[in-house]
Amino acid sequence: MALRFHTGLRGRLGVLASGLGAIIGLWGFSSAQAADSADLQTLLETGICIECDLRDADLRYLDLSGVVLRGANLAGANFFRANLTGADLARANLTRANFSMATMVDLVANLADMSHTNLLGADLSHASLLGTILANAHLEDTVMVGALLTRADLRQTKIVSADFRGANLCGAHFSYGDYRLDCP
């Protein structure tokens, strides 16, 4: 089943929402296996789903640019190769989420819990991750150019070939100390 994307967020998400029932039926999802279907439909139709339950949602390859998911429960969600440019995930529960190869430029995820997430090859350029928990996350080939990581928790985080050029790490917590260089 191929879905076409239209220009603009509402058009793209509306097409996806129209096929939601068919997709859920084909895959045999129940509310115990995947995200709350009403919340998922709300997200796909409006691009806004504040404090909704999208645990374990399969959001691979979707263009979710500009969506508002403040305070949402996205634990275990799969965002593989998703476009989250300019999305608002502030205070969201993103534990164990997969963001491999996702585009997250200008993302806002202040005070979010991103512990145990997979950020392999993700682009978080200019993302705002103020006070975000990234403990035990996997940052390999992750782009964090110009990202705001002030007071972020990066303890036990696997960091391999990540690019932090121009990132603000003031007060960030690492396993073997806190980053204090050039902090006021």
Side-chain angles (χ1 to χ4, degrees), residues 3 9 12-13 23 50 77 79 88 92 96 101 109 130 137 151 167:
L3 298 174
L9 180 62
R12 290 189 303 267
L13 296 176
I23 291 169
I50 296 171
F79 291 96
D88 183 351
R96 300 177 344 277
M101 308 305 290
L130 178 69
R151 294 189 309 277

Side-chain angles (χ1 to χ4, degrees), residues 81 99-104 117-125 137-145 157-165:
R81 288 199 182 271
F99 291 101
S100 293
M101 308 305 290
T103 301
M104 303 162 77
T117 56
N118 183 0
L119 292 158
L120 173 70
D123 184 354
L124 287 100
S125 295
H138 182 107
L139 280 70
E140 185 172 346
D141 296 322
T142 305
V143 179
M144 295 279 211
V145 172
T157 298
K158 179 180 179 182
I159 301 173
V160 178
S161 300
D163 186 352
F164 286 92
R165 283 177 295 143

Side-chain angles (χ1 to χ4, degrees), residues 110-111 128-132 147-153 167-173 183-184:
N110 297 331
L111 302 172
S128 182
L129 303 166
L130 178 69
T132 298
L148 176 62
L149 290 150
T150 302
R151 294 189 309 277
D153 182 354
N168 184 338
L169 293 159
C170 191
H173 305 285
C183 292

Side-chain angles (χ1 to χ4, degrees), residues 44-160:
L44 296 176
E45 288 176 356
T46 68
I48 300 170
C49 197
I50 296 171
E51 296 184 1
C52 58
D53 183 2
L54 296 171
R55 284 175 289 167
D56 300 313
D58 186 359
L59 303 167
R60 293 173 298 163
Y61 301 102
L62 294 183
D63 184 359
L64 300 169
S65 54
V67 298
V68 178
L69 289 162
R70 266 182 254 123
N73 185 355
L74 293 152
N78 189 353
F79 291 96
F80 178 78
R81 288 199 182 271
N83 180 2
L84 291 155
T85 300
D88 183 351
L89 301 174
R91 298 183 186 273
N93 177 0
L94 302 163
T95 57
R96 300 177 344 277
N98 178 18
F99 291 101
S100 293
M101 308 305 290
T103 301
M104 303 162 77
V105 175
D106 295 321
L107 172 86
V108 175
N110 297 331
L111 302 172
D113 186 350
M114 296 180 76
S115 56
H116 299 278
T117 56
N118 183 0
L119 292 158
L120 173 70
D123 184 354
L124 287 100
S125 295
H126 308 287
S128 182
L129 303 166
L130 178 69
T132 298
I133 301 168
L134 287 155
N136 295 292
H138 182 107
L139 280 70
E140 185 172 346
D141 296 322
T142 305
V143 179
M144 295 279 211
V145 172
L148 176 62
L149 290 150
T150 302
R151 294 189 309 277
D153 182 354
L154 293 145
R155 289 178 281 200
Q156 302 300 316
T157 298
K158 179 180 179 182
I159 301 173
V160 178

